Amino acid sequence: MARATTEPKRARIPSCLNELSGPPHFCNQLLHLPSNSPARQLCSALSSAFSPLLLQSLRRSPAGNATQPATPTMEHGGRSDSAAARRMGRLASHLLPPTSQMEEVSILRGSNCRAKGAAPGLKVAVLGASGGIGQPLSLLMKMNPLVSVLHLYDVVNTPGVTADISHMNTGAVVRGFLGQPQLENALTGMDLVIIPAGIPRKPGMTRDDLFNINAGIVRTLCEGIAKCCPNAIVNVISNPVNSTVPIAAEVFKKAGTYNPKRLLGVTTLDVVRANTFVGEVLGLDPRDVNVPVVGGHAGVTILPLLSQVNPPCSFTPEEISYLTSRIQNGGTEVVEAKAGAGSATLSMAYAAAKFADACLRGLHGDAGIVECSYVDSQVTELPFFASKVLLGRSGIEEILPLGPLNEFERAGLEKAKKELSESIQKGVSFVNNVVFRKVLSANFTMHICREIAGSGGNRSCTPMFLL
């Protein structure tokens, strides 16, 4: 019998590298780089962990005599080379990182390659990722095991935020996008879009005071969503939510992409606060408390249904008055405590991540997921209203009824509906009334000038996407 020759097994160069930018071959691309380039130096340093064939290719002269290396298959212990391919893909993504303007290098598209190694899951975009809510929210979404790709978009500082968060050793691949020209790239293919973009509240400001600024921001972002990911679930955080959700709906209607099951205003912070404050009064762990909060997301439109608290309990009239007032004014409490240094950014990021996780679990196919949200609704005569919704693969599977209300809650509901009606109409008019929009645009420009002049050009007062 002929004696088999023993030859060192050589790993096949992962196929994902051939997909980076098409022909010419990946190795040939590297060979045409300067010998002192970071790509060649790093690849040489890593070569001992991979195929000797790659090392041989890199050591050839870059002067046109390189040939495309052969790609023998590898079988080692019955295992395929898919794991090695994924590892190589992830490492290759760092050979030529994007520039500070977040522009991809044409030779090696790191984000595309690195996505080969991403965990299976869903794609999420955070619009306004550099702001007070956006940064902690982005961090929390990077930690979510259901997220495979995380896109971070803002008009300032996205490269730094992206670099920082991308170093976390979790499964989600992070990509950054900077400025209006990259908005469409940030949105393409997304399953869930979260919008915390806008300016923050300051002492003495109501959520309606934010309208003149944030309405235009939300409109612009929703136009991008309608064009690039019309089937994505959209979570609107930008205040005033009572108006910005109707704005988003009108933009989608004009684009012919409106799906009321996939547009949700995030009111989870009201529920989070209600659970916390009720837990304090009852001496319970707030994680074991569930208080439905309906209506809207501003002042008297926030209506906690204390008669439906779980676990069942009773309150004195004084406790009901105290808890209702504190829940309705929780945002003001934080704004005043920060004394001009910001608004409720951290607790809002936590609540937004909690709600986003519920949406992702619904998309994933989990059953029985119920959250409160401000949505297109027929629970009342108003076109939008916050109440319990059942989430699933299509977004909102069912809008649940309010349930029985006591006398105090019925009175509160009437107050809430009056203010909600005005806020909803204000949002609808913003999109549909051209004259109204021009006036707001002028106010927006004047506000930017005052903000920048008053801060000496300080970045922290830039009004775009820094909620």
Side-chain angles (χ1 to χ4, degrees):
M1 178 181 292
R3 190 175 181 180
T5 58
T6 59
E7 189 174 319
K9 294 184 175 69
R10 295 187 296 180
R12 176 168 58 87
I13 291 181
S15 60
C16 77
L17 299 182
N18 295 323
E19 301 170 3
L20 293 178
S21 57
H25 189 277
F26 169 69
C27 288
N28 289 342
Q29 294 176 30
L30 288 177
L31 290 170
H32 286 82
L33 296 175
S35 60
N36 62 348
S37 70
R40 291 190 64 176
Q41 291 176 1
L42 180 55
C43 202
S44 296
L46 295 171
S47 61
S48 61
F50 298 96
S51 169
L53 181 61
L54 182 57
L55 177 61
Q56 178 183 357
S57 298
L58 286 172
R59 286 178 175 173
R60 292 179 182 174
S61 169
N65 60 349
T67 59
Q68 180 167 320
T71 57
T73 60
M74 178 185 72
E75 293 291 338
H76 183 69
R79 294 178 301 178
S80 69
D81 63 350
S82 60
R86 289 194 297 271
R87 290 195 298 272
M88 192 62 181
R90 287 192 293 267
L91 288 167
S93 71
H94 299 290
L95 296 181
L96 292 177
T99 65
S100 59
Q101 286 79 29
M102 307 304 291
E103 297 173 350
E104 292 182 332
V105 179
S106 60
I107 293 180
L108 180 62
R109 304 187 192 284
S111 60
N112 293 337
C113 180
R114 191 166 179 226
K116 303 294 182 183
L122 297 160
K123 299 179 180 180
V124 177
V126 178
L127 307 184
S130 299
I133 294 173
Q135 290 196 42
L137 173 58
S138 299
L139 180 146
L140 292 171
M141 297 313 298
K142 178 72 166 76
M143 296 170 63
N144 191 305
L146 295 176
V147 178
S148 63
V149 175
L150 179 62
H151 283 190
L152 306 181
Y153 172 83
D154 213 321
V155 296
V156 291
N157 201 36
T158 324
V161 175
T162 303
D164 195 355
I165 291 177
S166 69
H167 291 180
M168 297 167 59
N169 62 331
T170 62
V173 174
V174 182
R175 302 170 186 156
F177 301 85
L178 182 64
Q180 184 70 26
Q182 295 194 6
L183 176 60
E184 292 187 8
N185 290 336
L187 290 170
T188 300
M190 293 297 102
D191 300 302
L192 172 66
V193 179
I194 311 172
I195 309 179
I199 65 164
R201 287 180 67 193
K202 296 181 179 180
M205 291 180 67
T206 67
R207 286 181 174 86
D208 277 341
D209 292 331
L210 303 178
F211 182 86
N212 289 358
I213 313 299
N214 292 351
I217 295 172
V218 171
R219 181 188 63 199
T220 299
L221 297 178
C222 288
E223 288 170 348
I225 293 169
K227 180 178 180 180
C228 301
C229 54
N231 295 320
I233 289 180
V234 181
N235 290 356
V236 179
I237 299 171
S238 306
N239 279 319
V241 169
N242 294 351
S243 297
T244 54
V245 171
I247 288 173
E250 291 301 311
V251 170
F252 295 150
K253 287 176 184 177
K254 286 183 175 296
T257 64
Y258 182 51
N259 183 346
K261 293 184 176 182
R262 292 184 172 266
L263 176 61
L264 302 100
V266 181
T267 62
T268 311
L269 182 54
D270 300 325
V271 177
V272 166
R273 286 171 173 153
N275 293 344
T276 300
F277 302 157
V278 169
E280 291 174 356
V281 169
L282 298 178
L284 297 175
D285 187 330
R287 293 172 295 183
D288 298 328
V289 178
N290 186 11
V291 183
V293 181
V294 302
H297 185 56
V300 298
T301 69
I302 301 171
L303 181 60
L305 302 183
L306 298 175
S307 65
Q308 299 181 24
V309 170
N310 190 24
C313 56
S314 60
F315 300 96
T316 67
E318 292 77 15
E319 289 172 334
I320 292 174
S321 178
Y322 162 77
L323 286 169
T324 300
S325 177
R326 192 177 181 200
I327 293 166
Q328 290 177 340
N329 296 289
T332 302
E333 180 180 321
V334 175
V335 169
E336 292 177 350
K338 289 190 174 182
S343 58
T345 53
L346 302 178
S347 56
M348 182 65 247
Y350 165 78
K354 185 175 184 292
F355 185 75
D357 178 70
C359 292
L360 292 172
R361 286 187 287 122
L363 287 172
H364 189 256
D366 293 3
I369 301 170
V370 176
E371 296 286 340
C372 291
S373 180
Y374 183 68
V375 299
D376 188 319
S377 171
Q378 295 181 348
V379 168
T380 69
E381 65 274 19
L382 298 174
F384 294 90
F385 195 81
S387 61
K388 287 183 177 181
V389 298
L390 177 66
L391 300 173
R393 290 190 183 275
S394 61
I396 300 171
E397 299 286 346
E398 182 182 359
I399 299 175
L400 304 179
L402 292 180
L405 306 181
N406 60 30
E407 183 178 350
F408 180 87
E409 292 162 349
R410 287 194 295 271
L413 178 61
E414 293 307 312
K415 293 179 182 177
K417 288 194 295 185
K418 181 179 179 181
E419 185 168 320
L420 269 175
S421 178
E422 297 173 357
S423 298
I424 293 168
Q425 186 56 46
K426 192 173 184 180
V428 172
S429 298
F430 174 77
V431 178
N432 296 330
N433 190 323
V434 177
V435 176
F436 187 52
R437 282 161 52 187
K438 289 182 178 180
V439 172
L440 291 179
S441 178
N443 290 340
F444 177 53
T445 303
M446 292 174 61
H447 179 87
I448 293 177
C449 295
R450 288 197 299 268
E451 287 285 343
I452 295 177
S455 63
N458 189 299
R459 172 206 170 283
S460 64
C461 289
T462 304
M464 292 288 283
F465 303 159
L466 295 179
L467 183 63

